[in-house]
Amino acid sequence: MCQHQPQCPSADSADREAAHIVAHHPEQGWSLLCNGVLLFEDTGELLPDGRIIAPHRASRAGRVATAA
């Protein structure tokens, strides 16, 4: 599907989110990447084969403030 050179990461690769955005709909909270991945604003993903990747946004819970 990707026509970029060098080619973007495939939907199965760990860095799939690095693919170029081909459609962006911030009002709906999603973007379509050139590898066919639907990337949602909560960092969840829907892969072209129908698999769902749960949101994986870094959590702020458990962070300890340090004095500068």
Side-chain angles (χ1 to χ4, degrees), residues 32-48:
L32 175 63
L33 306 181
C34 70
N35 56 9
V37 173
L38 276 174
L39 179 62
F40 297 95
E41 67 181 15
D42 68 353
T43 69
E45 301 170 22
L46 180 60
L47 303 184

Side-chain angles (χ1 to χ4, degrees), residues 23-32 39-41:
H24 182 59
H25 293 277
E27 73 283 0
Q28 296 177 357
W30 62 270
S31 296
L32 175 63
L39 179 62
F40 297 95
E41 67 181 15

